[in-house]
Amino acid sequence: MSAVPRSEKPVGRFRRMLDRLSSSQEDLESEELREDTAVAGCTRIGDCHDRQIVTVTGTLRTVTLRPRAGVPALEAELFDGSAALDVVWLGRRSIVGIEPGRKLIASGRISMSRGRRVLFNPKYELRPLGRE
């Protein structure tokens, strides 16, 4: 084994092809999401800190209705290939277009709840379905 990490080695066409063939589908999707984050000029979720104002992008993994303090709350898990965060819309039972597998851009202030990153009532933009 060499001391140079794999990501720093020169990458040729053959090496990229071998990496793609030996990678799992989840690894390939994560890499694509990380590239989308860079292209959109958004902050990687893994780099977000408590109380930081951010704009993040990714794919919604899950969407659930979970009441908080007696108020309906629509919760979704957003994943960008580096980490996940919970997006919570308080007072909403559903939002048209917010569904698993949908890509979106969300902006707001990160908070920490039970050790997880959370965006409450973010500004958001749904990504066009044709780009997925």
Side-chain angles (χ1 to χ4, degrees):
M1 286 285 187
S2 68
V4 178
R6 185 176 209 159
S7 62
E8 294 179 16
K9 288 183 179 179
V11 179
R13 264 170 88 189
F14 185 69
R15 168 55 62 192
R16 284 193 307 265
M17 183 180 72
L18 280 178
D19 285 346
R20 289 188 71 76
L21 289 174
S22 64
S23 298
S24 70
Q25 185 65 27
E26 185 176 324
D27 291 339
L28 295 174
E29 289 171 1
S30 292
E31 179 63 30
E32 183 179 321
L33 287 171
R34 286 190 296 271
E35 289 172 8
D36 287 348
T37 299
V39 168
C42 296
T43 305
R44 289 178 24 165
I45 294 172
D47 296 337
C48 296
H49 303 289
D50 192 26
R51 308 292 299 152
Q52 180 182 8
I53 296 175
V54 296
T55 300
V56 294
T57 186
T59 301
L60 296 175
R61 283 182 165 175
T62 61
V63 178
T64 57
L65 178 62
R66 185 171 299 145
R68 288 179 173 255
V71 177
L74 185 65
E75 291 188 11
E77 183 184 62
L78 184 69
F79 181 70
D80 76 345
S82 68
L85 70 78
D86 295 328
V87 182
V88 179
W89 290 274
L90 298 171
R92 302 296 300 263
R93 294 185 186 281
S94 67
I95 299 174
V96 176
I98 300 296
E99 56 197 25
R102 187 69 187 254
K103 292 184 180 183
L104 65 83
I105 297 174
S107 300
R109 186 178 301 272
I110 295 284
S111 64
M112 298 298 283
S113 177
R114 299 184 190 122
R116 291 184 55 93
R117 295 173 185 93
V118 182
L119 271 178
F120 286 101
N121 294 325
K123 294 179 186 176
Y124 67 95
E125 174 185 334
L126 296 172
R127 304 294 298 269
L129 289 173
R131 295 184 62 198
E132 295 180 8

